[in-house]
Amino acid sequence: MSIVDAVMAAAVAALQAGPAVAAQVERGRWRPLAGAATTAVVVRPVQADRETAAMAFAGPDAWAVRIGVECYARAAAGVAADVALDPVLQAVYARLMADPTLGGVLRGLEPLSLAFDFDADGEKTACGIFIFTARVNSGPSFN
């Protein structure tokens, strides 16, 4: 298992742990919402960088893995898209920050940014995309 795979699996497991933060919580899904679902969370890898500044502290195989956590909510009639999305954003953030080591898999998880996209699928679906940096020590190599 690579460090990217380990980070992704740990993030998805944390978000799926009962009760799940959304009706759908998936890894790398192409279509954000199933027909009947009103909320979804998709975890995607973004980038992995070797942490040269951390090598003295964390060892020669310290990595910073950026993940994107896409939060989707379909707004009901008369509800603003950002209002529909807010509970999903809050649930995701609270769940991931409750244990920034994701069960000991990481040295830490740091939020970097939150971006928005409205009407992401033409069906009044709002999307908030968190970018987190997961700090990880691997074994003697990238895997």
Side-chain angles (χ1 to χ4, degrees):
M1 173 182 288
S2 75
I3 60 168
V4 173
D5 187 29
V7 169
M8 294 289 293
V12 169
L15 295 168
Q16 286 177 335
V21 296
Q24 292 175 247
V25 176
E26 299 185 25
R27 180 176 171 167
R29 183 175 172 84
W30 290 106
R31 182 179 166 98
L33 285 174
T38 58
T39 61
V41 173
V42 176
V43 181
R44 298 183 192 276
V46 174
Q47 182 174 328
D49 298 303
R50 190 161 179 250
E51 292 190 286
T52 54
M55 286 176 27
F57 171 72
D61 291 312
W63 286 82
V65 179
R66 278 191 210 82
I67 60 170
V69 181
E70 301 173 3
C71 304
Y72 294 91
R74 186 174 293 134
V79 176
D82 63 313
V83 172
L85 181 59
D86 195 57
V88 181
L89 295 172
Q90 289 185 47
V92 165
Y93 189 84
R95 181 71 57 89
L96 293 176
M97 292 295 94
D99 176 12
T101 70
L102 300 183
V105 174
L106 314 178
R107 288 192 338 259
L109 185 67
E110 301 167 5
L112 290 179
S113 65
L114 173 60
F116 294 91
D117 181 18
F118 292 95
D119 206 14
D121 62 1
E123 297 181 17
K124 296 182 182 177
T125 301
C127 178
I129 305 165
F130 282 111
I131 301 294
F132 291 93
T133 297
R135 303 214 181 271
V136 186
N137 291 338
S138 69
S141 70
F142 183 75
N143 346 11

